[in-house]
Amino acid sequence: MDSLLRRVRTKLSIHAHRKVRGLIEGEYRSVFHGRSMDFDDLRPYVPGDEFKDIDWKATARHGSPLTKRYIASRKHTLMLVVDTGRDMAALAESGESKRDLAILAAGTAGYIAIRHGDQVGLVTGTAESTRYMAPELTESHLERMLQRIHASTTLSSDPSNLSRQLDYVARTFRRRMIVMVIADDRQLTSDEQRLVRRLAVQHEILWLTIGDADLMREEWAGRAMYDVADSAALPKFLRDDSTLRAEYASSVTQTATTTEEFFESVTISSRRITSGAAVVPGLFRLLEAHKHARR
Amino acid sequence: MALIAWWAPLLWIAAAAAVIGAVAWYRRRHRVTGGIPVAHRERLTALPSYRRAMSRYRLLVAGFALCLVALVTGGAVLTARPATVSLVTPDLNNRDIVLCLDVSGSMIDYDAVVLEVFQELATEFTGERISLVVFNASAVTYFPLTTDYDYISRQLERLSEEFDDPAAPYYGGTLIGNGSSLVGDGLASCVVRFDQGTADRSRSVIMVTDNFVAGEQIFTLPQAAQLAADRGIRVYGINPGDAAAKDYLADLANEFETSVLATGGAYYALDDPSVIPAVVDQITSEQASILPGQPRVQVIEQPQPWVWLSFAGLVGLSVFGWRLKR
């Protein structure tokens, strides 16, 4: 198995020991709540499974909890929508590359989905072009997808424009699927908000935001900093100003709240993660939030 | 306005281009290492206090750049040495005048008036040199050719006072010799008082005498006049005794006049001392018309406005630099 997926799995096993990992799988399973009633088979209960899915009679016979599996819950499609524009090659809030966090998040989600028997597809792209990898069920396919994210997200890539990819998803896929958008702290324009609102009707949307670098971070104040979009430098002397720092911090909080409120208003589960260590727990919280959101 | 070192600004431009090129090259080379790549800077740049700080910063940078330009421009122009070029005709400023006064008894009144006139003129002179020689039987240099007009005024004043006082020794040293009013010797003495023989200056003698010679002369008046003419010296004669229509005096006056005219000077016969100021005026103005001087190109450097520009640029540079540092 290639390196990227192994890294994801290592991360998964380090950061989430067995129990949590099972929890995540359970949470993932319950993302779709519109189930078919076609019973398929039984499998051991894992934490996170809906209690009402437990087959109590079979459990009583078997001695350990068993959960009913339905046909409809088996073949879903997880469509990963990842921005691979230049913006994603910049640093995340923790100082890691946003691309690495995106790969970790996409890999974790994809791995769980495949383990669950679901197909995973990928939509990547920039402001210039959008690329699509059809859903498949193999780990090698997931690895190829992660490699694509890795290879196409560089500082010399085309600029980012996630609305291109969102538009593509909205226009292309008729069948309902789980769409997991991996984006950064970009502000959605009103057009994009309309697009997202439409997508939320078509699909199950999970929105994972990778927090952008703290521009006023104190230990970076002495170093040069530039915006990857146009290579414009951010002057050092301003990044060391304490009043500006306070204003920036409150502005960031304000923006995060606004974004969260928007996603809530369109019934999309969203989560903002800031570091590699926060990817697995963040994903778990995202899935959990989605389960509990009764729509 | 002309530039003496017109090529200097070219060097400045070349130097400025070299500096800008070097900086651009350096920056491009070091851009690769970049810095911290971030995205969505509008999170910071859209903040009002960021915009305020940025516009203030831009203002300071603009001021800094302006002052730098002022300083460099001023420096460049200064090294080019701006100057005004004009054709000047130096007129009477390089005159040498020897007042040659006959101090025999009958001439004192006239001498006094001449002194008075020159006392006034001395306050207006710029560059002219005046000497005073008094003679009777022998000539005495009262003061040599000098531009020290204070000194000249004091000496003239002193001599005037001595003329009024019969006991004063104004004639000290003038009676050594055989006779009195040895006009030829007096003029010859005055003529040899000029120094800087080769310098391009106009030389004139204002001679006040009645040419009434008593005694043995070494030089006769015509000989002395010839000496003056040989040395390019004009002699202006003022003869107060000419008016008295006595024959023997007429001969003397005649001789005086022809001698003086032979040197290219002028001759004034008068019996009233009050006319002398007008006569001196006439002499000096006549000289002015005769001696327009050699026209020459005068180059005067005019660095003042550029010095001020550079200075203002420097001050602004330090102020803006200080504000930028903060």
Side-chain angles (χ1 to χ4, degrees):
Chain A
M1 185 56 55
D2 290 297
S3 59
L4 285 176
L5 189 55
R6 187 164 61 230
R7 212 180 296 164
V8 167
R9 285 199 302 206
T10 311
K11 201 83 174 180
L12 200 54
S13 62
I14 291 171
H15 285 280
H17 45 81
R18 268 187 69 110
K19 202 169 155 192
V20 178
R21 186 163 141 191
L23 264 177
I24 292 179
E25 288 178 13
E27 298 291 356
Y28 172 80
R29 208 159 291 135
S30 44
V31 164
F32 269 89
H33 12 81
R35 288 186 197 83
S36 144
M37 290 311 284
D38 296 337
F39 174 74
D40 186 24
D41 62 357
L42 290 170
R43 62 163 181 75
Y45 167 85
V46 287
D49 282 352
E50 293 279 333
F51 293 131
K52 63 181 179 185
D53 286 348
I54 295 177
D55 186 338
W56 295 110
K57 284 180 184 167
T59 301
R61 278 198 302 275
H62 190 253
S64 64
L66 291 172
T67 311
K68 284 178 276 192
R69 204 139 54 148
Y70 301 91
I71 289 175
S73 68
R74 281 186 62 182
K75 296 284 180 191
H76 289 308
T77 300
L78 172 66
M79 189 55 68
L80 298 167
V81 178
V82 183
D83 177 6
T84 55
R86 208 186 293 165
D87 278 0
M88 289 301 279
L91 297 194
E93 194 169 316
S94 61
E96 298 159 276
S97 167
K98 286 198 287 184
R99 176 190 64 182
D100 293 348
L101 265 59
I103 289 171
L104 195 54
T108 307
Y111 181 67
I112 293 166
I114 287 171
R115 291 274 303 225
H116 186 254
D118 284 348
Q119 291 185 315
V120 181
L122 176 68
V123 173
T124 59
T126 64
E128 304 300 323
S129 60
T130 299
R131 295 173 80 188
Y132 168 57
M133 288 176 87
E136 277 181 38
L137 200 126
T138 60
E139 289 192 359
S140 58
H141 182 66
L142 178 61
E143 171 65 24
R144 275 199 298 281
M145 294 194 289
L146 298 187
Q147 290 289 0
R148 167 168 292 183
I149 300 174
H150 185 88
S152 55
T153 312
T154 64
L155 287 172
S156 51
S157 306
D158 289 327
S160 291
N161 185 4
L162 189 63
S163 56
R164 290 283 305 266
Q165 285 76 54
L166 295 179
D167 188 51
Y168 177 85
V169 171
R171 279 187 293 103
T172 314
F173 305 120
R174 297 272 162 240
R175 199 162 64 86
R176 193 172 178 82
M177 53 173 105
I178 308 170
V179 174
M180 184 164 179
V181 180
I182 298 176
D184 60 6
D185 266 336
R186 74 202 305 277
Q187 291 299 295
L188 296 176
T189 62
S190 56
D191 278 353
E192 285 170 338
Q193 289 189 350
R194 219 173 42 242
L195 195 58
V196 168
R197 204 170 274 134
R198 177 181 156 196
L199 271 178
V201 176
Q202 287 179 307
H203 305 286
E204 297 281 332
I205 307 282
L206 299 170
W207 194 287
L208 191 70
T209 300
I210 293 169
D212 261 296
D214 179 1
L215 299 177
M216 294 297 283
R217 193 158 152 176
E218 269 186 88
E219 59 259 44
W220 288 349
R223 293 174 57 190
M225 184 183 276
Y226 69 98
D227 193 319
V228 294
D230 52 6
S231 299
L234 286 165
K236 283 181 203 172
F237 73 101
L238 281 173
R239 286 188 278 119
D240 209 14
D241 188 308
S242 55
T243 53
L244 190 56
R245 182 166 291 141
E247 195 178 328
Y248 173 75
S250 73
S251 158
V252 165
T253 316
Q254 174 73 38
T255 311
T257 313
T258 313
T259 310
E260 208 170 308
E261 277 168 5
F262 164 73
F263 283 128
E264 235 161 65
S265 76
V266 295
T267 65
I268 287 177
S269 302
S270 69
R271 188 79 197 169
R272 185 173 184 269
I273 56 167
T274 55
S275 68
V279 168
V280 174
L283 216 49
F284 170 58
R285 300 254 171 255
L286 178 61
L287 293 170
E288 192 182 43
H290 193 76
K291 186 180 92 181
H292 289 304
R294 286 284 153 241
R295 311 153 211 256
Chain B
M1 185 67 73
L3 300 175
I4 296 172
W6 55 268
W7 41 265
L10 301 182
L11 294 184
W12 278 85
I13 290 169
V19 167
I20 291 169
V23 168
W25 177 78
Y26 180 86
R27 285 183 69 131
R28 198 170 44 200
R29 227 185 89 147
H30 286 249
R31 170 163 289 193
V32 182
T33 55
I36 302 165
V38 296
H40 304 301
R41 70 172 182 283
E42 66 278 358
R43 289 174 295 151
L44 176 63
T45 55
L47 296 178
S49 28
Y50 179 90
R51 291 193 172 173
R52 268 199 305 280
M54 207 57 200
S55 56
R56 182 176 155 278
Y57 175 73
R58 288 215 181 90
L59 220 61
L60 285 177
V61 167
F64 190 83
L66 201 71
C67 289
L68 190 67
V69 167
L71 179 62
V72 171
T73 309
V77 175
L78 275 179
T79 50
R81 297 174 62 196
T84 49
V85 178
S86 51
L87 267 182
V88 282
T89 311
D91 36 31
L92 303 170
N93 291 346
N94 54 356
R95 287 186 297 169
D96 290 345
I97 300 171
V98 171
L99 300 177
C100 202
L101 305 183
D102 183 349
V103 290
S104 60
S106 58
M107 296 298 299
I108 294 301
D109 289 344
Y110 297 96
D111 292 341
V113 177
V114 170
L115 289 182
E116 243 172 65
V117 170
F118 270 89
Q119 250 171 298
E120 277 171 33
L121 282 181
T123 62
E124 297 163 14
F125 281 158
T126 50
E128 291 94 337
R129 297 194 304 166
I130 312 288
S131 173
L132 177 60
V133 175
V134 295
F135 71 89
N136 194 347
S138 55
V140 169
T141 304
Y142 208 80
F143 55 83
L145 283 168
T146 177
T147 53
D148 185 347
Y149 302 119
D150 279 347
Y151 174 75
I152 291 170
S153 297
R154 279 203 306 280
Q155 292 300 315
L156 294 178
E157 196 174 345
R158 206 180 108 202
L159 189 59
S160 299
E161 282 167 10
E162 286 179 0
F163 282 157
D164 295 339
D165 181 0
Y170 63 83
Y171 46 81
T174 64
L175 299 175
I176 304 161
N178 186 13
S180 76
S181 276
L182 302 182
V183 176
D185 291 356
L187 180 57
S189 302
C190 292
V191 164
V192 298
R193 288 301 182 274
F194 291 99
D195 56 355
Q196 301 183 1
T198 55
D200 187 18
R201 299 176 75 87
S202 104
R203 300 179 176 79
S204 47
V205 173
I206 296 177
M207 178 112 186
V208 184
T209 182
D210 55 4
N211 196 22
F212 189 73
V213 182
E216 196 74 14
Q217 298 191 107
I218 298 165
F219 278 85
T220 63
L221 187 57
Q223 280 172 338
Q226 186 57 46
L227 181 65
D230 290 347
R231 299 190 176 197
I233 297 165
R234 288 194 185 79
V235 180
Y236 296 88
I238 297 174
N239 186 356
D242 193 14
K246 293 170 188 167
D247 286 347
Y248 70 98
L249 280 178
D251 287 343
L252 294 174
N254 220 5
E255 182 196 39
F256 190 18
E257 184 173 4
T258 50
S259 304
V260 163
L261 291 178
T263 65
Y267 175 79
Y268 305 94
L270 32 97
D271 53 356
D272 181 1
S274 66
V275 188
I276 287 179
V279 169
V280 174
D281 270 357
Q282 207 176 333
I283 290 170
T284 49
S285 64
E286 192 174 328
Q287 273 189 322
S289 63
I290 293 167
L291 281 170
Q294 194 83 358
R296 62 191 175 89
V297 177
Q298 188 176 36
V299 178
I300 301 170
E301 297 211 21
Q302 303 282 3
Q304 291 89 346
W306 304 104
V307 169
W308 282 112
L309 182 68
S310 302
F311 181 69
L314 197 60
V315 169
L317 215 56
S318 0
V319 170
F320 283 118
W322 170 61
R323 295 299 305 177
L324 278 175
K325 262 285 176 215
R326 274 154 53 94

